[in-house]
Amino acid sequence: MKLTLKMKMRPLTRNKEWLLEQSTEAFKDCVNDWLSAIVQLGEKPNRGNLHNFAYRAIRDKYPQLHSNVIQDAMNLAIEIYRSWLKNGGEFPEFHSNVIYFKGVDVGIENNGLVVPLMGRRVYLPLYVPKKYKKYLQYKHGRVIIKRIGKEWYAFISVHVPEKEPIKPVGTIGVDLGYYNLLVASDERGREAMRVQGDVLIKHKEYLEKLTARRQQRLMKKFGIYAKTNHKDRRFVNDLNHKIAKELVLKARQLNRAIVLEKLKGLKKQKKPKQLRKMLHRWSYADLISKITYKAKLYGVPVIFVSPRGTSKTCSNCGYYVKNFKDERVFKCPKCCFEADRDLNAARNIAKKGFNLISEFFHFKKQGFQHIEEVRE
Ligand SMILES: [Zn+2]
């Protein structure tokens, strides 16, 4: 699978800084020239007709850019043009400080990149996080260098081999919510993982303390206020990474597929007051996408099921409790089964997925025994 690694560049010499500035400046002009060429072309642009129409002229105008870079500028211009056709508005002008390189033109060595800039091959050193080191040994694709604020960043796409997929003996159902961000259960109701919502509250309190302290200091010194928004976003991102990784490793260890609900938005559930304010910062869609991609990486199958009835059905006997009002404890009037609301829902989700893989294995006439054993 493809991963994109974002890495900050180490401080550059003045000469390398100048080379990058000149190159991104030229790339920007080049993309805008391609956009003008599209207008002159007067028909729907594609890689063939646009290349024939303007490549030679643009190539001659930018001798400092590598020919593959000029082609990437063309592809980018076509993309920009197509999205403008779709979305309308003013005719687009490209103004990012960025440059694209094809994988074959870039070398990765000594924790850095070697790229063609202004007709030379230039080494650009990177800060490589520990967890990225192992990824850099794999074959890389496109490399994008971009200036964000005052810093330069490299975005390197790498092809990471996926782990041999497991043959699941069962499932782990995942319920996402407010009191508990995540509760996971196997199809027999054994809890596999739980992340309580109060991690958000604790973090919020911590941030408030931190901000208050910083504000005092800054007010005293410069008379300005401090902001902490970026720290919030990073926290959510880091926490989602951690949750997703723990879940996927657990599923791999237990030899089980992960079952998620197909959610269009979150289910209508009563939100606790103190959490409500923080929830806009919490992204369940992000958590689901992180779980999905890590699962792929670790060879854990992911199954999506319909959310219908998962919180109102008794996970023990299957009775549908129509008037269940999302209390914290689920009680079944039929079989007297009692369980934490989220655990009951997670088990129902696990069961739905379990039925699906059972059918699949039955259909394939293989591994069916295996599944039966688990059911006992
Ligand atoms: Zn029941």
Side-chain angles (χ1 to χ4, degrees):
M1 71 185 297
K2 224 171 83 176
L3 281 184
T4 302
L5 313 175
K6 177 185 177 185
M7 280 174 270
K8 198 163 136 181
M9 225 165 263
R10 289 178 181 274
L12 298 171
T13 61
R14 198 174 288 178
N15 183 37
K16 286 180 183 178
E17 182 88 29
W18 182 83
L19 285 171
L20 263 183
E21 270 165 19
Q22 293 298 309
S23 304
T24 51
E25 218 30 65
F27 187 78
K28 187 194 300 177
D29 294 341
C30 185
V31 173
N32 285 321
D33 280 354
W34 278 116
L35 281 167
S36 314
I38 290 173
V39 176
Q40 286 163 26
L41 179 69
E43 55 182 290
K44 271 196 176 173
N46 56 49
R47 287 173 187 207
N49 63 6
L50 187 58
H51 188 275
N52 287 341
F53 180 71
Y55 180 73
R56 187 152 295 172
I58 291 178
R59 157 87 278 188
D60 290 345
K61 192 174 166 192
Y62 298 98
Q64 72 272 49
L65 293 180
H66 191 283
S67 59
N68 281 339
V69 173
I70 291 177
Q71 292 201 9
D72 266 351
M74 179 187 82
N75 297 335
L76 189 58
I78 294 175
E79 256 176 61
I80 292 170
Y81 181 77
R82 283 182 186 156
S83 95
W84 172 71
L85 277 189
K86 223 165 88 186
N87 303 318
E90 255 176 74
F91 191 76
E93 194 188 336
F94 186 69
H95 35 64
S96 292
N97 292 306
V98 70
I99 186 162
Y100 285 41
F101 296 101
K102 283 215 165 74
V104 287
D105 299 325
V106 180
I108 294 180
E109 53 195 66
N110 296 327
N111 292 331
L113 301 169
V114 180
V115 292
L117 291 178
M118 315 292 279
R120 270 185 272 171
R121 290 191 70 76
V122 180
Y123 173 74
L124 303 168
L126 299 170
Y127 291 106
V128 181
K130 227 181 181 175
K131 58 180 177 183
Y132 282 1
K133 288 216 162 114
K134 62 173 185 278
Y135 293 136
L136 284 184
Q137 61 182 329
Y138 301 122
K139 189 173 167 340
H140 65 274
R142 172 162 280 114
V143 172
I144 297 173
I145 294 175
K146 186 174 187 182
R147 186 157 71 189
I148 303 172
K150 284 179 180 170
E151 307 283 355
W152 292 99
Y153 289 85
F155 297 80
I156 305 174
S157 111
V158 288
H159 303 276
V160 180
E162 290 157 27
K163 282 214 171 138
E164 182 76 11
I166 58 168
K167 286 207 178 98
V169 298
T171 52
I172 287 181
V174 178
D175 181 71
L176 300 174
Y178 300 112
Y179 279 96
N180 295 303
L181 297 182
L182 177 149
V183 173
S185 162
D186 71 6
E187 74 282 352
R188 291 203 273 176
R190 291 175 299 197
E191 184 170 315
M193 187 175 157
R194 179 180 291 254
V195 182
Q196 284 170 346
D198 63 4
V199 285
L200 291 180
I201 298 169
K202 279 182 196 148
H203 173 67
K204 169 106 175 160
E205 285 167 359
Y206 163 77
L207 273 190
E208 274 168 0
K209 241 188 253 167
L210 204 76
T211 314
R213 231 182 296 147
R214 271 185 73 206
Q215 263 169 3
Q216 267 180 0
R217 215 166 46 220
L218 288 172
M219 272 310 261
K220 233 177 175 177
K221 238 178 164 175
F222 309 107
I224 51 170
Y225 279 104
K227 289 180 186 169
T228 52
N229 284 342
H230 67 288
K231 274 197 177 149
D232 258 15
R233 257 192 317 249
R234 193 185 300 164
F235 168 78
V236 167
N237 188 44
D238 287 354
L239 188 55
N240 276 352
H241 261 298
K242 270 187 218 155
I243 294 173
K245 190 166 182 189
E246 191 183 331
L247 178 72
V248 168
L249 289 180
K250 193 124 223 170
R252 175 137 191 128
Q253 180 203 336
L254 296 172
N255 216 12
R256 281 159 188 276
I258 291 173
V259 190
L260 296 165
E261 287 181 315
K262 278 179 262 178
L263 289 185
K264 280 190 179 147
L266 262 195
K267 277 180 289 189
K268 277 177 197 152
Q269 207 184 82
K270 269 190 210 157
K271 298 175 207 172
K273 258 189 191 161
Q274 70 268 48
L275 270 179
R276 203 174 298 166
K277 275 194 265 171
M278 278 156 275
L279 281 166
H280 72 277
R281 299 194 184 105
W282 190 258
S283 171
Y284 286 91
D286 173 67
L287 179 57
I288 288 174
S289 90
K290 284 193 167 78
I291 290 172
T292 315
Y293 107 75
K294 278 183 206 286
K296 211 173 165 193
L297 206 58
Y298 286 95
V300 174
V302 175
I303 301 165
F304 283 91
V305 297
S306 146
R308 175 172 293 193
T310 47
S311 49
K312 290 187 173 189
T313 303
C314 170
S315 67
N316 186 48
C317 71
Y319 182 74
Y320 184 72
V321 186
K322 203 176 173 189
N323 56 0
F324 178 64
K325 288 279 190 298
D326 261 324
E327 295 97 35
R328 294 313 305 155
V329 177
F330 179 91
K331 287 177 193 153
C332 176
K334 202 179 164 204
C335 72
C336 297
F337 172 76
E338 260 190 54
D340 169 76
R341 180 223 160 274
D342 298 335
L343 187 61
N344 183 60
R347 187 185 178 190
N348 279 326
I349 295 165
K351 277 180 143 181
K352 279 192 180 195
F354 189 78
N355 291 339
L356 274 179
I357 57 168
S358 304
E359 279 162 28
F360 172 78
F361 275 92
H362 183 55
F363 181 70
K364 289 266 186 184
K365 287 199 168 62
Q366 60 170 15
F368 189 58
Q369 282 299 86
H370 213 35
I371 296 275
E372 279 294 286
E373 270 171 24
V374 175
R375 275 184 153 171
E376 281 168 345

